[in-house]
C-alpha cells in the first residue's frame, strides 16, 4: 500500500518521536519504581518545564543551552515539592499522594494559564527547519538532536543508578523501603531525590521537545497517557524498559498511523496497553512487579 | 454502625434528602439550583465510583467509560431510534453496567489490582473516547444532540427545580441502596475483599465474583449520572462523555467526602462544588487564578484532613467532646 | 414552572421601568437616571479554549466602550451598556452555569459562546428565560436549526462557510487558469474537521477536483510526520487542511522540513492561517497559506482603527475580536430600536434587524431562522508576514498569489 | 462413613526449578487433630496451601470426603468445609472484631442479623467476647491469632487448617489457646495443623506427619515420631540420631 521509502521514513520518524516518549516515560517509571505512586502532576510538570524553556528562549537562550540550567533547576524543584509538599501532605497514603499530585497539577496548569494565558506558542530556532537528508527521507534536525540527547540522558541515568552510591540507595529503597530504612538510608531524602531526577528528566524532555513542538498550559497532557503506556509496556519501574518501550511505541504509533489513520493510530497504542496489562502486567521487558 | 437498626441506618439519608428537597421552595434562584443539580450529578457519579473504590478498594481512573456509555446510549436511542427518553435512560444504565461487567471480568480475571487496575480503566476510557470520536454512528466528533422538546414524557422539563428533584431522587435512591448493601452479605464480602483478598478467599468469598458484581453496580450508577447529564444538556460528545474530567471528579468526591461511606460522595461533591464557586468568586478576572486556588486548597485539605471531610468532622467532634470532659 | 413565573416577574419590573422612562419623557432628567442595560458576555476564559475566549471578550468590551462613549442607548435616555462577564470554562456545563448566573443577574441579552458545544448548551439554557443570545462563532449548524427563538448567529455556520469555501476555490482556480486538479484533505477528527471533510469529499469532485486522499488526525497530535509523508507521496496540487492551531502549525512546519511543497494550501476555518501569532512565529511556513474564515473588513475605517487599538495593547487582532465587537454593536442597535431592555422586545428587534454598522465583510444583517444570511466567510492569505483578504474582491486588500510560485 | 476425611496422594508442587513438595501423601481422620511438622523450608506451608486451594498441584491429588478436589478454588473448598488460617495473620484491619468474624459467618448465613449473632457466639468461644466492637487493627498479636481462629471457625468448617496458629505467642498465651483448639475439635471439627511449637503438638495432636525436603519421612503419634531417627536427623542434621542413641545407650 505504501512504498518502502515511506514505511522506512515512518519507522525512523517513529523512532525519533519515541525518543521523547522514552524520556518522558523514564521520569514516570523512575518515580513509580521507587515511590510506587502514580504521579498525576507528571504532565503539568512537563508543561511547566516547556514554559521555562520558552521563557529562556525569549531571553535569548536556545533550549539546548537552557537545558544545562533547567535540568538542575527542575531537580531542585522536584526535590523540594516531594520533600516538603507531597511527602508531608500525603501522610504516606497512596490515595492521598494521588490527590496531592492531582491538586498540584491543577495548581501548576492554572498558574501557567494565569501567567502566560492560553495562547499556543512555538519557537523558531535557527536549526528548526534544517534536516538530515538520508536521500529518501528528511529527518528534522531538532528531533535528531532530541534523539541524541535522549540516548545520552538514558546512559547517564543508567550509570547513576548502577554505579553510584546514590543509585544504590535509590535501588535499595525501590526494592524494600523498610529494609533500606533499617540500614540507615534516609528514605524521604531518597524519595525526594528520585522525584527530583524525574523532574530533571522532564526538563530535558521539554527542552528537546520545544523546538519541534508547541507549548500551551495543557500541552503536557498529550504525553502523559502515552507515557503510561510505555511504562506499563516496559514494566513499571524499569528504566531500560521505559527507553525500549518508548522507542517501540513511537514506531508502532507511526506505522499504525500510516496504515490505520492518525486518529486510530492512537487507538492502537491503547489497545496494546490494555492487552499488555491483561496478559502480562509485569511488562514485556521483564521487571517483576 | 454494625448493630444499628433500620431507623438509624436509613433515617439520616431520608432526613438529608427531605431537607435538600426543600431547597427549590426556599430559593427560586436557578443559579443555585443549576449548581446543585451539577453537584448532585457528580455525587451520583462519585457514589458509583465509591461502590467499587470506597467499599471494594478497587481504584478506577476511568469511570468515564461508564458515564459516557450511559450518556451515549441514552442520547443515541432517542436521537437515532426515537426511543422514549425514560426507556433510553434505563437502557443507558443497563449498558453502562454491562460495560462494567465486561471490563471487570477482563481485568479482575487477569488479577489486576492497584495501579494496574487503575491504568487499565484509564486506557479503556481513552479507547472509548477515541472510538466515539471516530465513529459515524455516535455522530463522530460533532456529537449527538437530543431533540429539544420540553415535555415531561420526554424527560425534559422547563423547570430546573424538577431536574433538581430528579437528581436528588436518584442520589437518594442510590444512597439507600448503598446503605442496604453495607448491611448485606454482599457488602460484608465486598469490604472483606478491600481489606484483604486472600483472607476473604479463605473464608469462602468468591472474590472475583464479588468484584465483578461490584463493578457492575458501580458502573450502572455512574452510567445513570451520564444518562441524566444527557437529559439535562441534551448534547453529548466524545470528550464530555469519555473525557478524563468525569473520571477525576468521580474519584475526587468520595475521597474528599469520605471513602467507603454512604454520605461521602454527596458531602464531597457539595464541598468541592462550593469550593470551586467560592474560589471563582474570590479570584476575580484573571483566568486560572480560581482553579489554582482550588488546587491549593485541595492539597491543603488533604494535608490536614487525610481521611476526608467526614474524618475531619469526626476528629473535630472528638476534640470537642474531650474538651467538654471534666 | 417556578422559573417561568420568576422570569415573568422580572420582566414586568423591567417593563414598568421602561414605561416610567417613557412617561417622564424628559430626556435630560432620564439621562441622568437611566439605568444601565446589563448584557452578558459569555466566553471560555479558562480551559482549552481560553485563547479564543479572551479575544472574544476583548472584542465585546471594546464595543461596549465605543457604544457608551458615543452616548449609550439613546432610546433609553442614553443608558449605558454594562457588561456582566461569564466564564464558560471551555465546557457546556460551564456555559450553562454561567447562563443561569447571567440570567439571575438580570442581563437583557447574552453575546458569545465561541465553541459549538458551549453554544448548544448555553443557547438552550438561555431559551428557558427567553433570553436573547447572539452566538459569535459556534459554527455547528444545529445551533440555529433547533428552533430556539432566542438564538441568533451573526457569523456564518459551517455549511455556509464550506459552501463559500468551495465556490471561492472554484473562482480562484478558474481565474488562475485552473492550475489545481488534485487535492488532499487533512482534517482534525474533532468537532468541525470531520464534517467539513465529508462535505468537501462529496462536493469537490462535482466541481472538477479529484480528492486523492483524506487524512484525519487527532487533537492534540504529537507528530505530523506521517501526514506530511503521505502528502508527499500523493503529491497533490492542493492541500486543504482544517485543524486547530497547534496541529496546523505542526503540519506546516513538518511539510516545510520534509520539503513538501504543493501549489497551494487552501484551508477552511483553520485555527492558524488566520492567526497573527503563527504568521509572526513562522513567517516562512505561513507564507501564502490561504484560509476561508471569519475576518474583519480590511477596508472598514473602524476596523482599521480597532486593530491599531488592540495591537497597541500588545494583543493580536484575531477574528474573535472583530466578531464579538460587531455582535455587540448589533445587539446595541437592537436594544436601541426596541427602546427597551426587555428580552422579548430585543428578540423582536433582532428578528427584524438590518444592521449594517458592523466591521465584518458582510452585507446588512438579516436573520432567517436565527442565522444571519448576510454573513459570509472570506479568503485570507498570508503574504509577507501579514494576513490579507484576497477574495471576494469587494473586500480584498491584496491580490491572491495562486498558485504559489515554485 | 468410611475412609479418612482428607487424603493427600503423591502431592507435588514445583516453583520454577524448585520442587517444594515432592510426592507427599498423608491422611487426616475424622475428628482428629493431625499435625504437620518439619524443619524450616520443609514445604509444610506449601503443602498446606495446596490443601486449601491457594496453589494448584503440579502432580498428585487432594481428596476430601472421598472427592478429588482437583483445581477447585479456595472459596469453593471453604463452602465444602475446608477453611484455613494464615501464619501471618490477615485481619480485615478496618473492621471491628465482630465484623471480621461475621465475614466468615456469612458463608453459611446470608442474613446479616444471623451472621452477626453467629459472630458473637464464635467470639465468645475463642475468648474475644469482650472485644467485639474493637477495631481489629487494635488487637494484640495473641488477640489477632484468636481472631484468625474465630473467623475460620465462623465458616462452620468440617476441616480446619491451622497454619502455625501458635507461632509468635509467649508460653502463657500458648497455654491459654491450646484448650480452645481442643474444644473446637471436641465440638466436631477435624483439625490439620502446621506447627512449630512442639510442646503444643505433643499435647494436642493425635497423629503427626513429618515433612522434610518436600517428602513425608515419618508418621505416627507424637511420641512415636519424636523417637524416629529419621525425624531427629531431619531436625538436627545427619548423624544426630546415632549420637543421641549412643548417648542414651551409655546412660542406660
Amino acid at each position: 500500500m505504501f512504498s518502502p521509502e515511506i514505511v522506512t521514513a515512518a519507522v525512523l520518524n517513529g523512532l525519533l518521536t519515541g525518543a521523547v516518549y522514552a524520556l518522558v516515560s523514564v521520569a514516570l517509571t523512575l518515580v513509580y519504581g521507587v515511590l510506587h505512586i502514580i504521579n498525576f502532576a507528571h504532565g503539568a510538570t512537563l508543561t511547566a518545564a516547556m514554559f521555562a524553556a520558552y521563557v529562556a528562549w525569549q531571553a535569548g537562550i536556545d533550549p539546548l543551552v537552557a537545558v544545562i540550567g533547567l535540568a538542575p533547576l527542575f531537580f531542585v524543584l522536584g526535590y523540594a515539592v516531594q520533600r516538603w509538599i507531597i511527602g508531608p501532605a500525603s501522610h504516606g497514603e497512596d490515595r492521598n499522594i494521588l490527590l496531592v499530585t492531582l491538586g498540584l497539577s491543577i495548581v501548576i496548569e492554572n498558574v501557567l494559564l494565569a501567567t502566560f494565558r492560553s495562547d499556543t506558542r512555538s519557537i523558531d530556532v535557527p536549526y528548526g527547519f534544517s534536516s538530515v537528508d538520508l536521500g529518501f527521507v528528511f529527518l528534522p534536525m531538532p528531533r535528531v538532536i532530541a534523539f541524541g540527547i535522549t540516548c545520552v540522558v538514558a546512559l547517564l541515568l543508567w550509570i547513576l543508578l548502577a554505579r553510584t552510591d546514590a543509585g544504590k540507595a535509590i535501588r535499595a529503597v525501590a526494592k524494600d523501603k523498610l529494609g533500606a530504612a533499617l540500614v540507615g538510608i534516609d528514605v524521604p531524602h531518597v524519595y525526594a531525590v528520585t522525584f527530583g531526577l524525574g523532574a530533571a528528566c522532564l526538563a530535558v524532555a521539554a527542552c528537546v521537545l520545544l523546538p519541534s513542538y508547541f507549548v500551551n498550559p495543557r500541552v503536557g497532557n498529550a504525553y502523559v497517557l502515552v507515557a503510561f503506556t510505555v511504562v506499563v509496556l516496559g514494566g513499571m519501574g524499569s528504566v531500560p524498559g521505559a527507553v525500549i518501550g518508548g522507542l517501540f511505541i513511537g514506531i508502532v504509533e507511526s506505522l499504525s498511523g500510516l496504515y490505520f489513520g492518525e486518529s486510530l493510530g492512537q487507538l492502537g497504542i491503547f489497545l496494546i496497553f490494555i492487552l499488555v496489562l491483561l496478559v502480562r502486567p509485569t511488562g514485556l521487558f521483564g521487571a517483576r512487579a | 454502625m454494625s448493630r444499628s437498626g433500620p431507623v438509624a441506618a436509613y433515617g439520616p439519608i431520608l432526613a438529608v434528602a427531605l431537607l435538600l428537597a426543600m431547597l427549590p421552595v426556599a430559593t427560586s434562584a436557578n443559579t443555585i439550583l443549576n449548581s446543585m443539580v451539577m453537584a448532585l450529578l457528580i455525587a451520583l457519579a462519585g457514589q458509583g465510583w465509591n461502590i467499587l473504590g470506597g467499599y471494594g478498594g478497587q481504584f478506577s481512573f476511568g469511570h468515564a467509560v461508564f458515564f459516557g456509555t450511559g450518556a451515549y446510549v441514552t442520547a443515541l436511542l432517542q436521537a437515532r431510534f426515537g426511543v422514549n427518553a425514560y426507556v433510553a435512560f434505563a437502557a443507558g444504565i443497563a449498558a453502562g453496567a454491562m460495560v462494567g461487567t465486561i471490563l471487570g471480568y477482563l481485568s479482575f480475571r487477569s488479577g489486576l489490582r492497584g495501579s494496574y487496575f487503575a491504568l487499565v480503566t484509564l486506557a479503556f476510557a481513552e479507547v472509548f473516547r477515541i472510538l466515539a470520536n471516530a465513529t459515524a454512528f455516535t455522530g463522530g466528533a460533532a456529537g449527538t444532540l437530543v431533540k429539544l422538546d420540553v415535555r415531561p414524557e420526554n424527560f425534559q422539563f422547563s423547570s430546573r427545580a424538577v431536574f433538581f428533584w430528579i437528581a436528588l431522587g436518584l442520589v437518594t435512591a442510590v444512597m439507600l441502596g448503598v446503605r442496604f448493601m453495607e448491611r448485606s452479605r454482599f457488602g460484608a464480602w465486598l469490604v472483606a475483599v478491600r481489606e484483604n483478598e486472600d483472607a476473604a478467599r479463605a473464608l469462602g468469598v468468591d472474590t472475583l465474583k464479588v468484584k465483578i458484581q461490584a463493578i457492575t453496580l458501580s458502573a450502572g450508577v455512574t452510567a445513570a449520572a451520564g444518562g441524566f447529564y444527557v437529559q439535562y444538556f441534551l448534547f453529548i460528545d466524545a470528550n464530555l462523555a469519555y473525557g478524563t474530567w468525569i473520571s477525576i471528579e468521580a474519584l475526587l468526591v468520595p475521597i474528599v467526602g469520605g471513602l467507603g461511606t454512604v454520605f461521602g460522595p454527596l458531602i464531597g461533591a457539595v464541598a468541592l462544588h462550593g469550593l470551586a464557586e467560592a474560589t471563582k468568586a474570590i479570584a476575580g478576572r484573571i483566568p486560572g487564578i480560581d482553579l489554582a486556588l482550588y488546587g491549593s486548597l485541595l492539597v491543603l485539605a488533604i494535608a490536614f484532613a487525610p481521611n476526608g471531610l467526614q474524618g475531619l468532622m469526626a476528629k473535630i467532634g472528638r476534640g470537642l467532646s474531650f474538651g467538654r470532659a471534666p | 414552572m417556578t422559573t417561568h413565573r420568576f422570569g415573568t416577574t422580572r420582566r414586568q419590573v423591567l417593563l414598568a421601568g421602561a414605561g416610567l422612562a417613557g412617561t417622564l419623557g424628559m430626556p435630560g432628567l432620564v439621562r441622568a437616571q437611566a439605568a444601565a442595560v446589563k448584557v452578558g458576555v459569555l466566553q471560555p476564559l479558562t480551559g482549552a479554549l481560553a485563547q479564543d475566549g479572551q479575544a472574544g471578550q476583548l472584542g465585546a468590551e471594546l464595543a461596549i466602550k465605543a457604544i457608551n462613549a458615543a452616548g449609550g442607548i439613546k432610546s433609553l435616555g442614553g443608558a449605558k451598556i454594562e457588561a456582566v462577564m461569564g466564564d464558560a470554562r471551555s465546557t457546556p456545563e460551564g456555559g450553562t452555569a454561567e447562563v443561569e448566573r447571567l440570567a439571575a443577574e438580570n442581563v437583557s441579552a447574552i453575546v458569545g459562546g465561541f465553541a459549538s458545544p458551549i453554544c448548544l448548551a448555553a443557547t438552550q439554557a438561555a431559551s428557558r428565560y427567553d433570553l436573547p443570545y447572539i452566538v459569535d462563532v459556534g459554527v455547528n449548524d444545529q445551533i440555529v436549526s433547533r428552533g430556539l427563538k432566542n438564538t441568533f448567529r451573526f457569523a456564518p455556520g459551517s455549511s455556509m462557510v464550506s459552501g463559500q469555501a468551495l465556490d471561492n476555490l472554484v473562482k480562484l482556480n478558474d481565474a488562475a487558469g485552473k492550475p489545481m486538479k488534485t487535492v488532499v484533505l487533512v482534517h482534525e477528527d474533532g468537532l468541525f474537521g470531520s464534517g467539513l471533510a465529508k462535505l468537501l469529499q462529496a462536493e469537490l469532485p462535482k466541481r472538477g477536483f479529484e480528492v486523492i486522499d483524506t487524512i484525519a488526525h487527532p487533537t492534540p497530535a504529537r507528530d505530523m510526520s506521517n501526514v506530511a509523508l503521505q502528502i508527499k507521496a500523493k503529491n497533490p496540487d492542493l492541500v486543504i487542511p482544517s485543524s486547530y492551531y497547534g496541529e496546523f502549525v505542526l503540519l506546516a512546519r513538518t511539510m516545510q522540513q520534509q520539503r513538501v511543497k504543493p501549489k497551494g494550501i487552501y484551508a477552511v476555518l483553520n485555527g492558524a492561517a488566520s492567526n497573527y501569532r503563527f504568521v509572526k512565529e513562522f513567517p516562512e511556513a505561513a507564507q501564502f497559506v490561504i484560509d476561508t474564515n471569519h475576518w474583519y473588513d480590511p477596508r472598514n475605517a473602524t476596523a482599521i482603527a480597532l486593530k491599531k487599538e488592540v495591537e497597541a495593547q500588545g494583543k493580536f487582532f484575531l477574528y474573535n475580536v472583530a466578531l464579538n465587537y460587531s455582535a455587540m454593536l448589533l445587539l446595541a442597535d437592537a436594544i436601541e430600536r426596541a427602546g427597551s431592555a426587555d428580552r422579548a422586545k430585543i428578540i423582536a428587534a433582532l428578528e427584524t434587524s438590518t444592521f449594517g454598522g458592523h466591521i465584518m465583510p458582510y452585507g446588512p444583517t438579516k436573520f432567517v431562522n436565527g442565522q444571519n444570511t448576510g454573513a459570509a466567510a472570506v479568503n485570507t492569505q498570508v503574504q509577507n508576514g501579514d494576513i490579507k483578504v484576497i477574495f471576494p474582491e469587494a473586500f480584498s486588500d491584496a491580490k491572491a498569489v495562486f498558485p504559489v510560485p515554485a | 462413613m468410611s475412609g479418612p476425611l482428607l487424603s493427600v496422594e503423591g502431592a507435588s508442587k514445583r516453583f520454577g526449578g524448585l520442587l517444594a513438595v515432592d510426592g507427599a501423601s498423608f491422611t487426616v481422620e475424622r475428628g482428629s487433630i493431625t499435625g504437620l511438622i518439619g524443619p524450616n523450608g520443609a514445604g509444610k506451608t506449601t503443602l498446606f496451601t495446596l490443601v486449601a486451594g491457594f496453589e494448584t498441584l503440579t502432580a498428585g491429588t487432594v481428596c476430601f470426603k472421598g472427592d478429588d478436589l482437583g483445581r477447585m478454588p479456595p472459596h469453593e473448598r471453604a463452602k465444602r468445609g475446608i477453611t484455613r488460617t494464615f501464619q501471618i495473620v490477615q485481619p480485615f484491619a478496618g473492621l471491628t472484631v465482630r465484623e471480621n468474624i461475621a465475614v466468615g459467618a456469612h458463608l453459611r448465613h446470608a442474613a446479616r442479623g444471623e451472621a452477626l449473632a453467629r459472630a458473637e457466639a464464635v467470639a465468645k468461644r475463642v475468648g474475644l467476647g469482650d472485644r467485639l466492637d474493637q477495631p481489629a487493627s487494635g488487637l494484640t498479636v495473641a488477640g489477632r491469632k484468636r481472631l484468625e481462629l474465630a473467623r475460620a471457625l465462623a465458616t462452620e468448617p468440617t476441616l480446619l487448617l491451622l497454619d502455625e496458629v501458635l507461632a509468635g505467642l509467649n508460653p502463657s498465651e500458648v497455654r491459654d489457646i491450646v484448650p480452645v483448639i481442643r474444644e473446637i475439635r471436641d465440638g466436631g471439627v477435624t483439625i490439620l495443623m502446621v506447627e512449630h511449637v512442639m510442646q503444643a503438638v505433643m499435647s494436642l495432636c493425635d497423629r503427626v506427619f513429618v515433612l522434610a525436603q518436600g517428602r513425608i519421612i515419618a508418621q505416627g503419634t507424637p511420641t512415636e515420631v519424636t523417637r524416629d531417627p529419621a525425624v531427629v536427623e531431619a531436625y538436627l542434621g545427619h548423624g544426630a540420631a546415632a549420637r543421641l542413641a549412643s548417648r542414651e545407650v551409655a546412660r542406660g
Side-chain angles (χ1 to χ4, degrees), chain B residues 178-289:
Chain B
V178 169
R179 180 67 92 204
F180 179 78
M181 180 193 87
E182 248 183 9
R183 296 159 61 83
S184 72
R185 167 156 83 177
F186 171 71
W189 280 353
L190 184 58
V191 170
V193 166
R194 173 188 75 198
E195 295 290 324
N196 191 323
E197 249 188 275
D198 275 346
R201 288 205 294 162
L203 298 177
V205 179
D206 185 346
T207 53
L208 177 64
K209 193 170 133 197
V210 166
K211 284 194 280 185
I212 291 176
Q213 285 169 340
I215 196 173
T216 305
L217 268 178
S218 170
V221 171
T222 301
F228 183 84
Y229 181 97
V230 162
Q231 288 315 118
Y232 196 64
F233 291 104
L234 301 178
F235 173 71
I236 195 76
D237 72 16
N239 287 319
L240 297 171
Y242 293 118
T244 44
W245 73 278
I246 187 69
S247 296
I248 289 176
E249 296 250 25
L251 77 91
L252 213 50
V253 293
I255 296 180
V256 166
L259 207 54
T261 62
V262 170
F263 282 103
L266 181 61
I267 292 174
V270 173
L272 284 180
H273 220 76
L275 180 64
E277 297 291 333
T279 53
K280 206 164 128 185
I282 297 166
R285 281 196 53 190
I286 300 175
I289 292 291

Side-chain angles (χ1 to χ4, degrees), chain A residues 179-224:
Chain A
L182 285 175
V183 299
I185 294 174
D186 180 355
V187 173
H189 173 71
V190 169
Y191 274 10
V193 166
T194 311
F195 214 84
L197 279 177
C201 282
L202 287 178
V204 177
C207 288
V208 300
L209 198 54
L210 191 59
S212 60
Y213 204 58
F214 53 82
V215 57
N216 62 42
R218 300 165 317 281
V219 70
N221 295 330
Y223 285 84
V224 173

